[in-house]
Amino acid sequence: MNRENRYMKPAWSAPSHIKAYTTTRITPEIITQDKKVDYASLKALLDLPAIPIKIRQTHSDIILPALTENQNKEADAIWTDQPDQVCTIVTADCLPVLLTHRQGTHVAAIHAGWRGLAKGIIPKTVQKLNLPGDEIIAWLGPAISQPCYEVGDEVHDEFLSSDPQAASAFIPSVNQRWLLDLYAIARLQLKRQGVTEIYGGEHCTFSDSKNFFSYRREGGIQGQMATLIWISYNN
C-alpha cells in the first residue's frame, strides 16, 4: 500500500516501464456522489499520462483496444500495445486481472466476475494479445475470497458444464450451496493458456472493510476500486 493505503501496486515481475495500480476505499476524492470512479480525478491522483478510456462493464466476454473511439462501449477487458494509453477497469468484489509481457510490449486489464470467468474473458484476452503464454505475466487484484463468496447451483453447474476441472474451485457451504474461489478459476484458466507467472490473489474485498469496497458486504451501495495499467517510457 502507498500514501496511507490510498492505492496499491502489484508485487510482480513486470518490467519497470509497466505502471500499474489498484485504488482502495481510502481514496474518496476519486469517488462521485453516485459511488462511481471519476476518471479525471483518478488521472490527477496517480499523475496518469491521459484520462483512461472508460468501458461499460456488463460481465461480458468483450475485449477492446484502449482507443478513444471505444469510450463508453460495452466491454469487460481492455488492452493496448501503445505507450501512455491507460487500461482501466473497476470492481467491488469481482476479480481485477492485469496482464503484461515479459518485454513490456503489451498490457491488459480484465474485469472478471463469475459470469465473465464462465464466458472465458481471461483466456480470450490472453489470446487477443497474440503472445506466447509463457511470456505473459499476470496479477490477480483484490476480490472477494472463497470463504465469503457463496453461490448457488446455477453458478456451479454453469462452470462444470464446460470445464469439469472447475470443480476444484468449489466447496460446499453450510447452506447447501457453494463457496466459489474466483482466484482458483483465474489461475486454472491462465495456466491453460501457458501463463506460469501469476501473482497476487491474497486479498479479500469482503472481509477487509478498511481497505476495500464490497458489493456483497455493503448491500450494493458502495464505491468502486479502479485497477489500471499502462506502458510508460518517460520515467
Side-chain angles (χ1 to χ4, degrees), residues 82-97:
Q82 299 298 309
D84 299 330
Q85 295 281 5
V86 184
C87 297
T88 305
I89 54 94
V90 295
T91 59
D93 275 341
C94 291
L95 173 61
V97 181

mmCIF file with all atom_site columns, all heavy atoms in Angstrom, residues 82-97:
data_model
loop_
_atom_site.group_PDB
_atom_site.id
_atom_site.type_symbol
_atom_site.label_atom_id
_atom_site.label_alt_id
_atom_site.label_comp_id
_atom_site.label_asym_id
_atom_site.label_entity_id
_atom_site.label_seq_id
_atom_site.pdbx_PDB_ins_code
_atom_site.Cartn_x
_atom_site.Cartn_y
_atom_site.Cartn_z
_atom_site.occupancy
_atom_site.B_iso_or_equiv
_atom_site.pdbx_formal_charge
_atom_site.auth_seq_id
_atom_site.auth_comp_id
_atom_site.auth_asym_id
_atom_site.auth_atom_id
_atom_site.pdbx_PDB_model_num
ATOM 1   N N   . GLN A 1 82 ? 0.407   0.283   -27.076 1.00 0.00 ? 82 GLN A N   1
ATOM 2   C CA  . GLN A 1 82 ? 0.899   1.636   -27.282 1.00 0.00 ? 82 GLN A CA  1
ATOM 3   C C   . GLN A 1 82 ? 1.231   2.301   -25.945 1.00 0.00 ? 82 GLN A C   1
ATOM 4   O O   . GLN A 1 82 ? 0.517   2.096   -24.960 1.00 0.00 ? 82 GLN A O   1
ATOM 5   C CB  . GLN A 1 82 ? -0.144  2.475   -28.017 1.00 0.00 ? 82 GLN A CB  1
ATOM 6   C CG  . GLN A 1 82 ? -0.501  1.945   -29.395 1.00 0.00 ? 82 GLN A CG  1
ATOM 7   C CD  . GLN A 1 82 ? 0.691   1.924   -30.328 1.00 0.00 ? 82 GLN A CD  1
ATOM 8   O OE1 . GLN A 1 82 ? 1.381   2.929   -30.477 1.00 0.00 ? 82 GLN A OE1 1
ATOM 9   N NE2 . GLN A 1 82 ? 0.942   0.766   -30.930 1.00 0.00 ? 82 GLN A NE2 1
ATOM 10  N N   . PRO A 1 83 ? 2.280   3.107   -25.877 1.00 0.00 ? 83 PRO A N   1
ATOM 11  C CA  . PRO A 1 83 ? 2.601   3.790   -24.618 1.00 0.00 ? 83 PRO A CA  1
ATOM 12  C C   . PRO A 1 83 ? 1.574   4.845   -24.257 1.00 0.00 ? 83 PRO A C   1
ATOM 13  O O   . PRO A 1 83 ? 0.910   5.419   -25.139 1.00 0.00 ? 83 PRO A O   1
ATOM 14  C CB  . PRO A 1 83 ? 3.970   4.425   -24.905 1.00 0.00 ? 83 PRO A CB  1
ATOM 15  C CG  . PRO A 1 83 ? 4.037   4.549   -26.381 1.00 0.00 ? 83 PRO A CG  1
ATOM 16  C CD  . PRO A 1 83 ? 3.260   3.391   -26.936 1.00 0.00 ? 83 PRO A CD  1
ATOM 17  N N   . ASP A 1 84 ? 1.427   5.076   -22.963 1.00 0.00 ? 84 ASP A N   1
ATOM 18  C CA  . ASP A 1 84 ? 0.603   6.155   -22.404 1.00 0.00 ? 84 ASP A CA  1
ATOM 19  C C   . ASP A 1 84 ? -0.883  6.011   -22.683 1.00 0.00 ? 84 ASP A C   1
ATOM 20  O O   . ASP A 1 84 ? -1.643  6.965   -22.553 1.00 0.00 ? 84 ASP A O   1
ATOM 21  C CB  . ASP A 1 84 ? 1.097   7.526   -22.899 1.00 0.00 ? 84 ASP A CB  1
ATOM 22  C CG  . ASP A 1 84 ? 2.529   7.811   -22.490 1.00 0.00 ? 84 ASP A CG  1
ATOM 23  O OD1 . ASP A 1 84 ? 2.947   7.306   -21.432 1.00 0.00 ? 84 ASP A OD1 1
ATOM 24  O OD2 . ASP A 1 84 ? 3.236   8.517   -23.237 1.00 0.00 ? 84 ASP A OD2 1
ATOM 25  N N   . GLN A 1 85 ? -1.330  4.812   -23.044 1.00 0.00 ? 85 GLN A N   1
ATOM 26  C CA  . GLN A 1 85 ? -2.747  4.507   -23.137 1.00 0.00 ? 85 GLN A CA  1
ATOM 27  C C   . GLN A 1 85 ? -3.123  3.705   -21.893 1.00 0.00 ? 85 GLN A C   1
ATOM 28  O O   . GLN A 1 85 ? -2.686  2.565   -21.733 1.00 0.00 ? 85 GLN A O   1
ATOM 29  C CB  . GLN A 1 85 ? -3.055  3.710   -24.403 1.00 0.00 ? 85 GLN A CB  1
ATOM 30  C CG  . GLN A 1 85 ? -2.811  4.467   -25.692 1.00 0.00 ? 85 GLN A CG  1
ATOM 31  C CD  . GLN A 1 85 ? -3.932  5.439   -26.012 1.00 0.00 ? 85 GLN A CD  1
ATOM 32  O OE1 . GLN A 1 85 ? -4.858  5.625   -25.235 1.00 0.00 ? 85 GLN A OE1 1
ATOM 33  N NE2 . GLN A 1 85 ? -3.854  6.072   -27.179 1.00 0.00 ? 85 GLN A NE2 1
ATOM 34  N N   . VAL A 1 86 ? -3.912  4.302   -21.016 1.00 0.00 ? 86 VAL A N   1
ATOM 35  C CA  . VAL A 1 86 ? -4.178  3.695   -19.709 1.00 0.00 ? 86 VAL A CA  1
ATOM 36  C C   . VAL A 1 86 ? -5.379  2.751   -19.791 1.00 0.00 ? 86 VAL A C   1
ATOM 37  O O   . VAL A 1 86 ? -6.485  3.161   -20.140 1.00 0.00 ? 86 VAL A O   1
ATOM 38  C CB  . VAL A 1 86 ? -4.437  4.777   -18.649 1.00 0.00 ? 86 VAL A CB  1
ATOM 39  C CG1 . VAL A 1 86 ? -4.605  4.142   -17.272 1.00 0.00 ? 86 VAL A CG1 1
ATOM 40  C CG2 . VAL A 1 86 ? -3.295  5.798   -18.634 1.00 0.00 ? 86 VAL A CG2 1
ATOM 41  N N   . CYS A 1 87 ? -5.141  1.491   -19.484 1.00 0.00 ? 87 CYS A N   1
ATOM 42  C CA  . CYS A 1 87 ? -6.199  0.467   -19.453 1.00 0.00 ? 87 CYS A CA  1
ATOM 43  C C   . CYS A 1 87 ? -6.748  0.379   -18.034 1.00 0.00 ? 87 CYS A C   1
ATOM 44  O O   . CYS A 1 87 ? -5.991  0.115   -17.094 1.00 0.00 ? 87 CYS A O   1
ATOM 45  C CB  . CYS A 1 87 ? -5.650  -0.882  -19.887 1.00 0.00 ? 87 CYS A CB  1
ATOM 46  S SG  . CYS A 1 87 ? -5.039  -0.914  -21.581 1.00 0.00 ? 87 CYS A SG  1
ATOM 47  N N   . THR A 1 88 ? -8.043  0.567   -17.865 1.00 0.00 ? 88 THR A N   1
ATOM 48  C CA  . THR A 1 88 ? -8.646  0.639   -16.535 1.00 0.00 ? 88 THR A CA  1
ATOM 49  C C   . THR A 1 88 ? -9.959  -0.125  -16.485 1.00 0.00 ? 88 THR A C   1
ATOM 50  O O   . THR A 1 88 ? -10.764 -0.055  -17.419 1.00 0.00 ? 88 THR A O   1
ATOM 51  C CB  . THR A 1 88 ? -8.915  2.105   -16.144 1.00 0.00 ? 88 THR A CB  1
ATOM 52  O OG1 . THR A 1 88 ? -7.709  2.858   -16.240 1.00 0.00 ? 88 THR A OG1 1
ATOM 53  C CG2 . THR A 1 88 ? -9.429  2.201   -14.718 1.00 0.00 ? 88 THR A CG2 1
ATOM 54  N N   . ILE A 1 89 ? -10.159 -0.846  -15.374 1.00 0.00 ? 89 ILE A N   1
ATOM 55  C CA  . ILE A 1 89 ? -11.463 -1.438  -15.083 1.00 0.00 ? 89 ILE A CA  1
ATOM 56  C C   . ILE A 1 89 ? -11.794 -1.118  -13.624 1.00 0.00 ? 89 ILE A C   1
ATOM 57  O O   . ILE A 1 89 ? -10.918 -0.717  -12.844 1.00 0.00 ? 89 ILE A O   1
ATOM 58  C CB  . ILE A 1 89 ? -11.501 -2.959  -15.338 1.00 0.00 ? 89 ILE A CB  1
ATOM 59  C CG1 . ILE A 1 89 ? -10.379 -3.704  -14.598 1.00 0.00 ? 89 ILE A CG1 1
ATOM 60  C CG2 . ILE A 1 89 ? -11.400 -3.237  -16.832 1.00 0.00 ? 89 ILE A CG2 1
ATOM 61  C CD1 . ILE A 1 89 ? -10.767 -4.240  -13.263 1.00 0.00 ? 89 ILE A CD1 1
ATOM 62  N N   . VAL A 1 90 ? -13.064 -1.270  -13.245 1.00 0.00 ? 90 VAL A N   1
ATOM 63  C CA  . VAL A 1 90 ? -13.486 -1.002  -11.868 1.00 0.00 ? 90 VAL A CA  1
ATOM 64  C C   . VAL A 1 90 ? -14.142 -2.248  -11.292 1.00 0.00 ? 90 VAL A C   1
ATOM 65  O O   . VAL A 1 90 ? -14.782 -3.022  -12.011 1.00 0.00 ? 90 VAL A O   1
ATOM 66  C CB  . VAL A 1 90 ? -14.432 0.210   -11.789 1.00 0.00 ? 90 VAL A CB  1
ATOM 67  C CG1 . VAL A 1 90 ? -13.707 1.484   -12.194 1.00 0.00 ? 90 VAL A CG1 1
ATOM 68  C CG2 . VAL A 1 90 ? -15.678 0.010   -12.625 1.00 0.00 ? 90 VAL A CG2 1
ATOM 69  N N   . THR A 1 91 ? -13.989 -2.430  -9.982  1.00 0.00 ? 91 THR A N   1
ATOM 70  C CA  . THR A 1 91 ? -14.533 -3.605  -9.304  1.00 0.00 ? 91 THR A CA  1
ATOM 71  C C   . THR A 1 91 ? -14.970 -3.248  -7.886  1.00 0.00 ? 91 THR A C   1
ATOM 72  O O   . THR A 1 91 ? -14.580 -2.206  -7.337  1.00 0.00 ? 91 THR A O   1
ATOM 73  C CB  . THR A 1 91 ? -13.492 -4.737  -9.206  1.00 0.00 ? 91 THR A CB  1
ATOM 74  O OG1 . THR A 1 91 ? -12.351 -4.259  -8.484  1.00 0.00 ? 91 THR A OG1 1
ATOM 75  C CG2 . THR A 1 91 ? -13.062 -5.237  -10.573 1.00 0.00 ? 91 THR A CG2 1
ATOM 76  N N   . ALA A 1 92 ? -15.765 -4.159  -7.293  1.00 0.00 ? 92 ALA A N   1
ATOM 77  C CA  . ALA A 1 92 ? -16.122 -4.045  -5.884  1.00 0.00 ? 92 ALA A CA  1
ATOM 78  C C   . ALA A 1 92 ? -16.525 -5.424  -5.364  1.00 0.00 ? 92 ALA A C   1
ATOM 79  O O   . ALA A 1 92 ? -17.540 -5.571  -4.699  1.00 0.00 ? 92 ALA A O   1
ATOM 80  C CB  . ALA A 1 92 ? -17.256 -3.044  -5.680  1.00 0.00 ? 92 ALA A CB  1
ATOM 81  N N   . ASP A 1 93 ? -15.792 -6.428  -5.689  1.00 0.00 ? 93 ASP A N   1
ATOM 82  C CA  . ASP A 1 93 ? -15.863 -7.846  -5.314  1.00 0.00 ? 93 ASP A CA  1
ATOM 83  C C   . ASP A 1 93 ? -15.408 -8.717  -6.476  1.00 0.00 ? 93 ASP A C   1
ATOM 84  O O   . ASP A 1 93 ? -14.798 -9.764  -6.262  1.00 0.00 ? 93 ASP A O   1
ATOM 85  C CB  . ASP A 1 93 ? -17.252 -8.316  -4.876  1.00 0.00 ? 93 ASP A CB  1
ATOM 86  C CG  . ASP A 1 93 ? -17.538 -8.056  -3.408  1.00 0.00 ? 93 ASP A CG  1
ATOM 87  O OD1 . ASP A 1 93 ? -16.561 -7.847  -2.641  1.00 0.00 ? 93 ASP A OD1 1
ATOM 88  O OD2 . ASP A 1 93 ? -18.716 -8.041  -3.016  1.00 0.00 ? 93 ASP A OD2 1
ATOM 89  N N   . CYS A 1 94 ? -15.747 -8.326  -7.711  1.00 0.00 ? 94 CYS A N   1
ATOM 90  C CA  . CYS A 1 94 ? -15.258 -9.069  -8.873  1.00 0.00 ? 94 CYS A CA  1
ATOM 91  C C   . CYS A 1 94 ? -13.728 -9.001  -8.923  1.00 0.00 ? 94 CYS A C   1
ATOM 92  O O   . CYS A 1 94 ? -13.106 -8.162  -8.268  1.00 0.00 ? 94 CYS A O   1
ATOM 93  C CB  . CYS A 1 94 ? -15.846 -8.501  -10.166 1.00 0.00 ? 94 CYS A CB  1
ATOM 94  S SG  . CYS A 1 94 ? -17.611 -8.798  -10.354 1.00 0.00 ? 94 CYS A SG  1
ATOM 95  N N   . LEU A 1 95 ? -13.159 -9.884  -9.714  1.00 0.00 ? 95 LEU A N   1
ATOM 96  C CA  . LEU A 1 95 ? -11.708 -10.028 -9.762  1.00 0.00 ? 95 LEU A CA  1
ATOM 97  C C   . LEU A 1 95 ? -11.095 -9.150  -10.852 1.00 0.00 ? 95 LEU A C   1
ATOM 98  O O   . LEU A 1 95 ? -11.413 -9.310  -12.024 1.00 0.00 ? 95 LEU A O   1
ATOM 99  C CB  . LEU A 1 95 ? -11.361 -11.498 -10.022 1.00 0.00 ? 95 LEU A CB  1
ATOM 100 C CG  . LEU A 1 95 ? -9.897  -11.847 -10.279 1.00 0.00 ? 95 LEU A CG  1
ATOM 101 C CD1 . LEU A 1 95 ? -9.036  -11.482 -9.081  1.00 0.00 ? 95 LEU A CD1 1
ATOM 102 C CD2 . LEU A 1 95 ? -9.756  -13.325 -10.609 1.00 0.00 ? 95 LEU A CD2 1
ATOM 103 N N   . PRO A 1 96 ? -10.194 -8.221  -10.472 1.00 0.00 ? 96 PRO A N   1
ATOM 104 C CA  . PRO A 1 96 ? -9.429  -7.496  -11.478 1.00 0.00 ? 96 PRO A CA  1
ATOM 105 C C   . PRO A 1 96 ? -8.162  -8.278  -11.827 1.00 0.00 ? 96 PRO A C   1
ATOM 106 O O   . PRO A 1 96 ? -7.444  -8.741  -10.938 1.00 0.00 ? 96 PRO A O   1
ATOM 107 C CB  . PRO A 1 96 ? -9.087  -6.178  -10.773 1.00 0.00 ? 96 PRO A CB  1
ATOM 108 C CG  . PRO A 1 96 ? -9.050  -6.511  -9.320  1.00 0.00 ? 96 PRO A CG  1
ATOM 109 C CD  . PRO A 1 96 ? -9.945  -7.715  -9.116  1.00 0.00 ? 96 PRO A CD  1
ATOM 110 N N   . VAL A 1 97 ? -7.906  -8.423  -13.122 1.00 0.00 ? 97 VAL A N   1
ATOM 111 C CA  . VAL A 1 97 ? -6.723  -9.149  -13.582 1.00 0.00 ? 97 VAL A CA  1
ATOM 112 C C   . VAL A 1 97 ? -5.916  -8.223  -14.488 1.00 0.00 ? 97 VAL A C   1
ATOM 113 O O   . VAL A 1 97 ? -6.464  -7.620  -15.416 1.00 0.00 ? 97 VAL A O   1
ATOM 114 C CB  . VAL A 1 97 ? -7.106  -10.424 -14.359 1.00 0.00 ? 97 VAL A CB  1
ATOM 115 C CG1 . VAL A 1 97 ? -5.857  -11.173 -14.816 1.00 0.00 ? 97 VAL A CG1 1
ATOM 116 C CG2 . VAL A 1 97 ? -7.995  -11.328 -13.511 1.00 0.00 ? 97 VAL A CG2 1
#
